[in-house]
């Protein structure tokens, strides 16, 4: 049977992994897709470079537009990354009537509204399963598997590099920069690793998840974003003593007031499934009104796990070209003219429980002053511990867990606590979620 010919833009970690998996599983994939699939043309930055895959039989070029414009190709796979050249290539592919598969969450989160509109006009599809949580089929789960539900909330560990760094630091006491370097060597990190560390990559992914969960346009600039770079080993230890682990979560939640989209370190009960997700693994918990809580777990980054998702999208598209799938699902799973503009909440409009660490001078009455500020603002305390002074220090850490309160009110309390004479420095504040 005549193979379906596809083109790849980029042959790095994910591009190389995609070629390898497609070559290794070609027979099984052909049985599933209804036709063999072959990479015949690929764009690379430099022809002379060593690669992780065998490129025999693939025409290589340094001009990615050559691949996009190749009339023999039915679909192209964009694996270069970023929003510059990648966007030009994807829009050109669409204008030429080609379907596109991409792993580029930055592109979808930041330019997806424009790209989806162009694709719909042209009658082609843009698939992006690999862009969120790597190998976990979370887009399909939300868009297809849970489509009868009203999604109440979802919370996920959606950056492999960040979770790998946090796990290695906590379990092995390793240095932040040392673990980040390893994540880069393993092919987990973004081209600019501050995207991983400062939560930008997770915010890209959360933008996409919120859009397909709630049927809203992609609004990356509305995601509240905090990274992991300020988490101290001390807070990891104190959280552990209280029965929590600190995880970097992306959370989307729907309430009467509107929709929350936020990415930040979060105290999660150690007994919760998300608390047990370590290393490069990702996981997303989704609560739907009919199904209840569901949980999706798997590798969030790396060559072959990501290739697994890229190729699943390629296979889906080939199935629909072959008439094996009745129709292609809409880009967000909501009909294009049905996207709502729900009220997106700012971070001070959300409510959460909080972990607070307050550094105070070891004097009588300090704890009472802090408690009275919280009491006056009607913020109730779930737990409080006062630690011994650290060696050579006159200050002691006061650790507090609050019940759920509006962030705005907590900010007022923090401002008043920081103004107390025996309190030094800023109060450390980490949000806490019981995920129920
Ligand atoms: N690495 C992962 O685990 C992972 C997981 C999910 C999604 N992604 C996404 O997949 C995409 C690719 O990531 P990667 O990790 O494979 O990156 P990478 O840097 O390993 O690969 C990108 C490749 O694109 C090539 N490239 C750059 N400019 C080019 C040009 N003008 N013409 C041709 N080739 C060009 C580079 O030489 C490089 O080999 C990114 O959007 C990334 O966010 C990566
Ligand atoms: N840099 C990303 C790749 C997967 O999207 C991560 O570490 O999760
Ligand atoms: Na995925």
């Amino acid at each position: 049977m005549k193979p379906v010919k596809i083109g790849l833009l980029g042959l790095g970690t994910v591009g190389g992994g995609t070629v390898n998996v497609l070559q290794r599983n070609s027979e099984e994939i052909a049985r599933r897709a209804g036709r063999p699939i072959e990479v015949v043309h690929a764009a690379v930055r430099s022809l002379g470079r060593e690669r992780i895959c065998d490129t025999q039989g693939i025409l290589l070029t340094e001009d990615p537009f050559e691949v996009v414009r190749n009339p023999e190709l039915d679909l192209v796979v964009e694996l270069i990354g970023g929003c510059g050249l990648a966007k030009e290539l994807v829009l050109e592919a669409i204008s030429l009537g080609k379907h596109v598969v991409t792993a580029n969450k930055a592109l979808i989160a930041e330019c997806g509204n424009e790209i989806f509109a162009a694709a719909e006009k042209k009658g082609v599809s843009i698939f992006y399963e690999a862009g969120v949580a790597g190998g976990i089929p979370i887009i399909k789960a939300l868009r297809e598997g849970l489509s009868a539900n009203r999604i109440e909330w979802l919370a996920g560990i959606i950056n492999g590099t960040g979770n790998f760094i946090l796990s290695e630091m906590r379990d092995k006491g390793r240095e932040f920069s040392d673990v980040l370097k390893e994540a880069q060597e393993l092919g987990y990190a973004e081209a600019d690793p501050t995207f991983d560390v400062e939560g930008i990559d997770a915010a890209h992914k959360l933008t996409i998840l919120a859009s397909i969960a709630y049927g809203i346009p992609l609004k990356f600039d509305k995601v509240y974003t905090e990274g992991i770079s300020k988490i101290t080993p001390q807070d990891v230890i104190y959280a552990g003593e209280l029965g929590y682990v600190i995880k970097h979560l992306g959370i989307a939640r729907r309430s009467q007031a509107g929709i929350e989209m936020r990415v930040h370190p979060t105290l999660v009960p150690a007994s919760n499934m998300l608390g047990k997700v370590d290393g490069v693994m990702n996981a997303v918990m989704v609560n739907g009104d009919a199904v209840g809580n569901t949980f999706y777990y798997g590798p969030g980054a790396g060559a072959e796990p990501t290739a697994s998702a890229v190729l699943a999208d390629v296979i889906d598209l080939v199935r629909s070209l072959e008439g094996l799938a009745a129709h292609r699902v809409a880009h967000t799973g909501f009909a294009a003219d049905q996207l709502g503009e729900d009220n997106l909440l700012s971070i001070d409009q959300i409510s959460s429980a909080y972990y607070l660490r307050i550094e105070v001078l070891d004097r009588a009455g300090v704890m009472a002053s802090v408690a009275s500020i919280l009491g006056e603002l009607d913020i109730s305390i779930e737990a409080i511990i006062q630690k011994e002074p650290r060696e050579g220090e006159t200050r002691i850490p006061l650790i507090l867990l609050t019940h759920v309160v509006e962030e705005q009110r907590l900010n007022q309390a923090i401002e008043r606590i920081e103004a107390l004479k025996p309190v030094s420095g800023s109060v450390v504040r980490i949000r806490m979620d019981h995920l129920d």
Side-chain angles (χ1 to χ4, degrees):
M1 206 180 299
K2 238 176 97 195
V4 174
K5 295 177 180 174
I6 68 168
L8 295 194
L9 306 170
L11 265 192
T13 304
V14 183
T18 299
V19 170
N20 285 336
V21 176
L22 184 55
Q23 285 175 351
R24 192 170 70 235
N25 296 343
S26 60
E27 280 180 31
E28 197 83 346
I29 287 174
R31 287 173 61 211
R32 288 201 168 105
R35 260 171 83 184
I37 300 171
E38 266 178 26
V39 177
V40 295
H41 207 172
V44 297
R45 186 152 42 193
S46 153
L47 286 170
R49 202 165 294 167
E50 227 177 274
R51 307 189 188 281
I52 60 168
C53 62
D54 178 2
T55 55
Q56 236 189 354
I58 304 175
L59 175 63
L60 297 184
T61 172
E62 288 178 2
D63 176 9
F65 287 95
E66 212 180 89
V67 177
V68 166
R69 292 171 189 156
N70 180 341
E72 288 204 311
L73 307 179
D74 295 310
L75 69 99
V76 292
V77 183
E78 185 280 305
L79 301 170
I80 288 177
C83 293
L85 175 65
K87 182 180 173 189
E88 279 181 55
L89 292 165
V90 167
L91 288 175
E92 170 124 7
I94 293 168
S95 75
L96 293 170
K98 291 185 162 73
H99 304 287
V100 176
V101 171
T102 180
N104 189 341
K105 52 271 164 155
L107 180 68
I108 298 300
E110 295 190 32
C111 309
N113 298 321
E114 181 188 343
I115 290 173
F116 292 166
E120 269 140 28
K121 213 163 145 199
K122 212 57 197 170
V124 295
S125 291
I126 312 299
F127 280 2
Y128 49 93
E129 178 63 76
V132 184
I136 307 175
I138 185 64
I139 305 283
K140 280 188 209 308
L142 270 171
R143 203 167 58 175
E144 284 133 82
L146 298 180
S147 56
N149 286 262
R150 180 185 153 91
I151 305 297
E152 303 296 346
W153 57 266
L154 59 87
I157 293 169
I158 47 180
N159 182 268
T161 303
N163 201 46
F164 179 66
I165 294 174
L166 286 181
S167 306
E168 291 287 305
M169 282 173 65
R170 186 197 60 207
D171 298 341
K172 301 181 190 156
R174 290 178 64 190
E175 289 287 329
F176 189 100
S177 55
D178 171 47
V179 192
L180 173 59
K181 195 164 155 268
E182 189 184 346
Q184 289 177 294
E185 285 161 7
L186 290 166
Y188 301 159
E190 293 304 299
D192 175 356
T194 57
F195 275 47
D196 297 291
V197 169
E198 297 305 340
I200 302 158
D201 177 72
H204 284 142
K205 293 163 174 165
L206 186 76
T207 303
I208 297 172
L209 289 177
S211 178
I212 58 181
Y214 300 121
I216 54 174
L218 296 141
K219 290 278 172 77
F220 170 64
D221 57 344
K222 290 286 194 301
V223 181
Y224 172 79
T225 308
E226 247 179 62
I228 59 169
S229 59
K230 294 195 187 93
I231 296 177
T232 67
Q234 230 184 323
D235 293 312
V236 171
I237 293 168
Y238 297 150
E241 288 173 10
L242 290 158
Y244 293 87
V245 285
I246 301 179
K247 288 290 178 192
H248 193 229
L249 294 191
I251 298 173
R253 191 184 292 272
R254 163 153 54 190
S255 68
Q256 293 269 329
I259 290 175
E260 297 169 19
M261 294 196 290
R262 47 194 172 101
V263 166
H264 50 69
T266 310
L267 259 73
V268 174
S271 57
N272 186 284
M273 284 191 287
L274 278 173
K276 300 179 202 294
V277 175
D278 288 327
V280 73
M281 303 310 273
N282 278 191
V284 186
M285 198 174 270
V286 183
N287 178 277
D289 69 332
V291 71
N293 273 0
T294 59
F295 188 71
Y296 309 87
Y297 172 85
E304 293 210 357
T306 310
S308 162
V310 166
L311 285 166
D313 277 349
V314 170
I315 292 165
D316 260 7
L317 279 166
V318 172
R319 281 173 175 154
S320 71
L321 296 176
E322 288 304 292
L324 292 176
H327 65 281
R328 287 194 301 273
V329 66
H331 289 112
T332 62
F334 286 78
D337 61 356
Q338 292 295 315
L339 293 187
E341 285 279 352
D342 270 84
N343 183 23
L344 298 171
L345 303 179
S346 67
I347 192 69
D348 54 2
Q349 291 174 291
I350 69 136
S351 292
S352 173
Y354 295 86
Y355 162 100
L356 303 179
R357 173 163 58 81
I358 311 167
E359 296 288 329
V360 300
L361 288 174
D362 193 6
R363 282 199 205 134
V366 188
M367 180 125 54
S369 315
V370 170
S372 104
I373 291 174
L374 293 172
E376 280 164 29
L377 287 162
D378 204 19
I379 299 173
S380 45
I381 300 171
E382 183 184 303
I384 188 162
I385 31 172
Q386 182 177 316
K387 307 299 290 188
E388 293 294 307
R390 287 180 295 265
E391 216 177 282
E393 290 222 22
T394 48
R395 295 174 315 160
I396 53 165
L398 201 62
I399 315 295
L400 266 156
L401 301 185
T402 76
H403 282 291
V404 174
V405 50
E406 297 94 63
E407 181 131 339
Q408 221 163 20
R409 198 135 47 92
L410 185 90
N411 288 341
Q412 289 171 27
I414 289 180
E415 207 175 301
R416 287 178 57 185
I417 291 169
E418 286 176 348
L420 290 172
K421 267 240 165 78
V423 171
S424 48
S426 308
V427 171
V428 171
R429 174 260 310 277
I430 308 177
R431 297 175 190 87
M432 205 164 93
D433 209 304
H434 289 96
L435 303 163
D436 47 25

